[in-house]
Amino acid sequence: MTIILDFEECLKDSPRFRAEIEDVQNEVSELETRLEKLVKQCQAMLDAGRVYCQASRNFAGGLRDLGHHCSGDTMMADCLGKFSHKLTLILEAQAEVIDVTQKTVKSKIQNFVKEDVRRFKDVRKEFERSSECLEGALAKNAQAPRNKPHEVEEASSALLNARKSFRSSALDYVLEINVIEAKKKTDILMAMLSLLDAQAQLFQHGHESLSELEEYRRNLYDEHTQFVLNSAREKRDMEQKHAAIKKKDISYDDSIMHFNGDAANGIPMEGYLYKRASNAFKTWNRRWFSIQKNQLMYQKKFKDQPTVVVEDLRLCTVKPSAENERRFCFEVVSPSKCCLLQADSERQQQAWISAVQNSIASAFQECREDPLSPRQRCSSVSADSPRALDQDNEGVKALDEVQAIPGNRQCCDCGEPGPDWASINLGITLCIVCSGIHRSLGVHFSKVRSLTLDSWEPELVKLMRELGNAVINKIYEARIDEITIKKPQPSSPRGDKECWIRSKYVEKKFIQKLPQTSRNPPLRRSSARRTRAPSQDQNGQKPPLRPKPSRATLPRLTGAGLSPTETSANDTGVIKDCHQEDEDLSDLHPGALLYRSAAMQNFPIMADALAHGADVNWVNVSKESTTPLIQAVSANALAACEFLLQNGANINQVDGNGRGPLHHATILGHTGLVCLFLKRGADYNAKDKNQKDPITIAVDNANADIVTLLRIAKMNKEMREMDGAFGQPGDETYQDIFRDFSHMASNNPEKLKRRSADPHF
């Protein structure tokens, strides 16, 4: 402890002591002023630090929110998340520094000023009061007269007491001076050391936190450099493209519009049109129109709920409108209202008219392919129709059976469990992603239907039971082990699944390849080549039906292609071959193979033949130009006929006697097939070479069921023609009758036996 004033010196009360006392007092006064100023500055620093920390926390929160907003960009989201987290940690350390500064610097210095300096001032006041008393006692003692002993004695006693009191207060004052000098050093030094320690810990913590991101920051710098290069390259390309486009004529007003029936978003056509309002003022408003789900709708803003103009495109027609004074107008007419629309140009007007017409055609095609949905059927069935409801329940049960077929519990293409979509012409089940890809292939490759949202006709369910994922994959993935392409998994990207599906069903890369020599033209000609003469060898004779090269992919099967008079069918539709000969079908041309296997109802072989390019309308010239569909009719093979129809068989293609599949089904008394063909649009007025149509044949054969079906179909069509273009597809009675016959043909064929038979009609 440093001694500023000596105690011995204070007892002398010399001028030097007084001068030193004055210097100390001035120094303490100056110290007090500076310390008070320092306390105010410290408080301002603390307030500013808290404001800075709060603002920095807000900034870190903003970075975090921006990272959440950029969640689609992994790099940006990760970068912003890491930086905001580190900045938050540093700010927490800085908040601790502020607390340490508050507790050490400000509190200690403030306490020093308020307590130590104040005590110093109190002791100084006591010292000054004692000094004044001593001065008075000295003066009074000096003035005491010699001849007055009692005054002298009284003055001497007062001086003694005053000197004693002064020296005591002087000693206390000197002690306080020395103490405050020593405490000034310790308190201020300790406060500064605490502040430095806190600052050191802050910067050390910040350095350690940021050092953890060193490698990450270097990688970001590398990526940033690459981004700069890519941005410069893209900017150059855009500038070149911009310059090239500006050189072209950009003064045209028409938008580029095309009808795309297989659009991925389910919107084949969209664009701006003017719509005339139905109010009294007939105002015109520009709206964004689109065709979706067989409906015409519009919306003002993108987030607005679309307004449906036409509920069902099958119930409307479209035509140009020249009655209005505006140009480029056309009308969409439905039974309930007429909507007048205006395009921006004649080309757009024609594009929209064509788009609506194509959509109407597509809606009718889907209507023919798809039965009524469960919701539509329930709305059309009256409350006193429990029979129809029972059939719907049976349909749901049948769908459960379809899903129970081996392999159908997983998607045929990616293996995702629980598929609830199906391809009805392939006979497979699909997940929702793969079903969308199948739909984009077009209906000539795959016809997609929902197992849960759509209603299923009995013959379709019967067809699905005959095939399944396991059967089809043995055909379309026969060479999967030889191919380097990896089959996608449920978690694979959509692009990988799409590439696999196109390779599998469109390009057919994985099916067993035929020998090169077996691709020679077969004896039997397809329907597209019926006008040409049959092939002959050098001797003028027809070559045999089976080419020489063998086809290892097909097994030996029993049965041969039989004419209508050579086949019979039991109640379950299983063919009975009259000759009962074993025949090797492995060498047949795909068209001939389809022909033979259709009669035997061998669905795997039929599917294999179609996979190898068989013409579904292949013609057997030696058998009166019959087709695979007629062969299936001869065998009363309901599911086989449905399979061929779903794969593009011509339902009205006739044989050499001018008879189509409906004629043959009527002749043979196959009521279920007659019902199927009528539902699929067969021509019941077509006449054979004997000038007999199916109705006449059914009457001659005394088959009341078939006569009823044919007459009801004819009456229903006449009713629709009387109703005009907006006629309904049929009343409830018509639909119920055909539904009942379809149900019996698929599940209880014994109820549809012929009333009379004449196979040689």
Side-chain angles (χ1 to χ4, degrees), residues 397-465:
K397 180 179 179 181
L399 292 182
D400 293 336
E401 296 178 5
V402 170
Q403 293 178 334
I405 296 173
N408 283 16
R409 290 294 184 184
Q410 291 81 31
C411 175
C412 184
D413 293 323
C414 72
E416 181 172 341
D420 53 3
W421 293 81
S423 175
I424 56 178
N425 64 312
L426 293 173
I428 58 177
T429 57
L430 304 165
C431 67
I432 187 170
V433 176
C434 293
S435 69
I437 300 173
H438 272 255
R439 194 184 297 274
S440 68
L441 299 180
V443 294
H444 52 292
F445 286 107
S446 184
K447 298 179 180 179
V448 179
R449 180 174 292 186
S450 173
L451 287 171
T452 56
L453 302 178
D454 295 324
S455 173
W456 284 69
E457 295 172 314
E459 52 268 22
L460 274 179
V461 177
K462 190 176 182 67
L463 167 61
M464 293 294 295
R465 291 172 182 164

Side-chain angles (χ1 to χ4, degrees), residues 244-528:
I245 293 177
K246 288 193 69 174
K247 292 180 181 179
K248 299 179 181 179
D249 181 16
I250 57 176
S251 60
Y252 62 89
D253 296 329
D254 291 351
S255 301
I256 301 176
M257 303 174 63
H258 299 288
F259 178 82
N260 182 10
D262 296 328
N265 59 356
I267 305 177
M269 186 75 168
E270 58 182 347
Y272 278 108
L273 291 172
Y274 281 96
K275 177 185 178 297
R276 192 179 70 175
S278 57
N279 54 27
F281 300 100
K282 303 298 182 182
T283 56
W284 291 83
N285 300 306
R286 187 172 173 83
R287 296 290 183 265
W288 182 262
F289 277 79
S290 62
I291 299 175
Q292 304 180 42
K293 300 178 182 179
N294 295 334
Q295 295 179 332
L296 179 65
M297 55 185 64
Y298 70 89
Q299 56 191 136
K300 183 178 181 180
K301 296 180 180 180
F302 178 74
K303 294 184 179 180
D304 292 347
Q305 186 69 21
T307 301
V308 178
V309 179
V310 178
E311 291 284 350
D312 192 343
L313 288 175
R314 295 174 297 176
L315 305 179
C316 75
T317 184
V318 59
K319 61 181 180 180
S321 176
E323 299 177 358
N324 193 274
E325 62 179 8
R326 286 180 172 241
R327 301 175 299 160
F328 318 130
C329 293
F330 62 96
E331 293 178 293
V332 179
V333 184
S334 66
S336 59
K337 60 182 176 181
C338 174
C339 182
L340 185 60
L341 304 174
Q342 181 187 19
D344 293 338
S345 65
E346 183 178 359
R347 189 171 74 91
Q348 287 191 19
Q349 178 195 30
Q350 295 300 323
W352 271 103
I353 293 176
S354 300
V356 175
Q357 291 173 344
N358 291 334
S359 299
I360 294 173
S362 299
F364 274 109
Q365 179 66 24
E366 292 179 5
C367 179
R368 287 193 292 268
E369 294 175 356
D370 297 339
L372 292 175
S373 65
R375 182 177 301 175
Q376 292 172 332
R377 179 175 297 178
C378 292
S379 64
S380 64
V381 175
S382 61
D384 57 351
S385 313
R387 179 185 57 180
L389 295 177
D390 292 340
Q391 291 178 356
D392 287 342
N393 295 332
E394 293 179 3
V396 174
K397 180 179 179 181
L399 292 182
D400 293 336
E401 296 178 5
V402 170
Q403 293 178 334
I405 296 173
N408 283 16
R409 290 294 184 184
Q410 291 81 31
C411 175
C412 184
D413 293 323
C414 72
E416 181 172 341
D420 53 3
W421 293 81
S423 175
I424 56 178
N425 64 312
L426 293 173
I428 58 177
T429 57
L430 304 165
C431 67
I432 187 170
V433 176
C434 293
S435 69
I437 300 173
H438 272 255
R439 194 184 297 274
S440 68
L441 299 180
V443 294
H444 52 292
F445 286 107
S446 184
K447 298 179 180 179
V448 179
R449 180 174 292 186
S450 173
L451 287 171
T452 56
L453 302 178
D454 295 324
S455 173
W456 284 69
E457 295 172 314
E459 52 268 22
L460 274 179
V461 177
K462 190 176 182 67
L463 167 61
M464 293 294 295
R465 291 172 182 164
E466 298 291 343
L467 295 169
N469 297 353
V471 172
I472 295 301
N473 279 341
K474 286 182 180 179
I475 299 172
Y476 284 89
E477 296 181 3
R479 298 173 54 242
I480 189 174
D481 295 334
E482 306 173 15
I483 306 298
T484 58
I485 301 178
K486 186 178 180 181
K487 186 172 182 177
Q489 302 297 319
S491 59
S492 299
R494 178 185 173 89
D496 294 349
K497 294 182 180 180
E498 184 172 3
C499 179
W500 170 265
I501 290 173
R502 288 189 176 274
S503 299
K504 180 178 177 180
Y505 299 103
V506 179
E507 303 171 11
K508 300 178 181 178
K509 290 183 178 180
F510 315 129
I511 65 173
Q512 192 70 36
K513 300 298 182 182
L514 293 176
Q516 187 67 28
T517 54
S518 68
R519 300 179 184 177
N520 295 331
L523 167 66
R524 312 301 181 225
R525 296 168 295 169
S526 67
S527 58

Side-chain angles (χ1 to χ4, degrees), residues 55-261:
S56 299
R57 290 192 191 95
N58 296 338
F59 176 72
L63 290 179
R64 184 170 55 255
D65 294 341
L66 181 60
H68 294 161
H69 176 73
C70 300
S71 57
D73 189 336
T74 305
M75 188 273 290
M76 286 294 295
D78 188 45
C79 170
L80 294 172
K82 287 180 180 294
F83 288 172
S84 63
H85 177 66
K86 293 299 181 183
L87 183 57
T88 302
L89 294 179
I90 295 174
L91 290 173
E92 291 177 356
Q94 192 160 7
E96 293 179 1
V97 172
I98 293 176
D99 293 339
V100 170
T101 305
Q102 172 75 27
K103 295 177 181 179
T104 58
V105 179
K106 180 187 174 184
S107 299
K108 286 185 177 298
I109 294 177
Q110 199 167 25
N111 290 338
F112 180 81
V113 173
K114 289 182 177 181
E115 296 179 4
D116 297 332
V117 174
R118 180 178 298 174
R119 187 167 54 252
F120 170 81
K121 289 182 177 179
D122 292 341
V123 176
R124 186 184 66 180
K125 289 180 180 179
E126 183 62 27
F127 170 75
E128 291 176 349
R129 188 183 63 77
S130 300
S131 178
E132 291 178 357
C133 291
L134 179 60
E135 289 293 336
L138 288 172
K140 189 175 181 181
N141 183 60
Q143 295 174 0
R146 184 180 302 173
N147 55 353
K148 294 182 180 179
H150 65 280
E151 291 184 9
V152 171
E153 182 179 358
E154 184 178 342
S156 297
S157 177
L159 177 61
L160 180 62
N161 292 333
R163 184 177 286 111
K164 182 179 179 180
S165 175
F166 169 76
R167 288 178 178 176
S168 176
S169 61
L171 288 173
D172 293 341
Y173 190 29
V174 170
L175 176 62
E176 189 63 30
I177 290 174
N178 292 326
V179 168
I180 197 173
E181 181 66 25
K183 197 169 184 180
K184 174 185 69 174
K185 294 180 180 180
T186 57
D187 288 3
I188 296 177
L189 183 59
M190 180 56 67
M192 294 302 104
L193 287 176
S194 300
L195 179 61
L196 290 178
D197 288 343
Q199 293 286 347
Q201 291 178 2
L202 168 65
F203 290 110
Q204 184 177 1
H205 178 75
H207 179 267
E208 292 175 353
S209 298
L210 296 179
S211 296
E212 296 175 358
L213 300 178
E214 185 67 26
E215 183 177 357
Y216 181 71
R217 287 190 291 123
R218 286 198 299 267
N219 294 335
L220 281 184
Y221 274 119
D222 296 339
E223 292 186 18
H224 176 264
T225 303
Q226 188 62 40
F227 288 158
V228 171
L229 295 177
N230 294 341
S231 177
R233 189 180 301 109
E234 292 173 358
K235 181 181 179 182
R236 181 194 60 198
D237 295 341
M238 284 190 294
E239 289 176 348
Q240 293 176 354
K241 185 181 295 185
H242 175 263
I245 293 177
K246 288 193 69 174
K247 292 180 181 179
K248 299 179 181 179
D249 181 16
I250 57 176
S251 60
Y252 62 89
D253 296 329
D254 291 351
S255 301
I256 301 176
M257 303 174 63
H258 299 288
F259 178 82
N260 182 10

Side-chain angles (χ1 to χ4, degrees), residues 659 661-675 678 683-688 691-714 741 753-759 761:
R659 294 170 179 167
L662 183 59
H663 287 88
H664 285 276
T666 305
I667 293 171
L668 297 173
H670 297 330
T671 310
L673 292 180
V674 172
C675 179
L678 290 175
D683 185 5
Y684 48 78
N685 292 319
K687 297 182 179 181
D688 60 9
Q691 297 301 308
K692 290 188 176 183
D693 57 24
I695 297 180
T696 304
I697 296 173
V699 172
D700 293 343
N701 289 351
N703 195 320
D705 285 344
I706 295 181
V707 171
T708 300
L709 287 173
L710 291 168
R711 287 179 174 174
I712 289 177
K714 184 176 182 179
F741 274 101
K753 291 182 178 179
R754 292 185 56 192
R755 307 284 169 85
S756 65
D758 185 9
F761 180 81

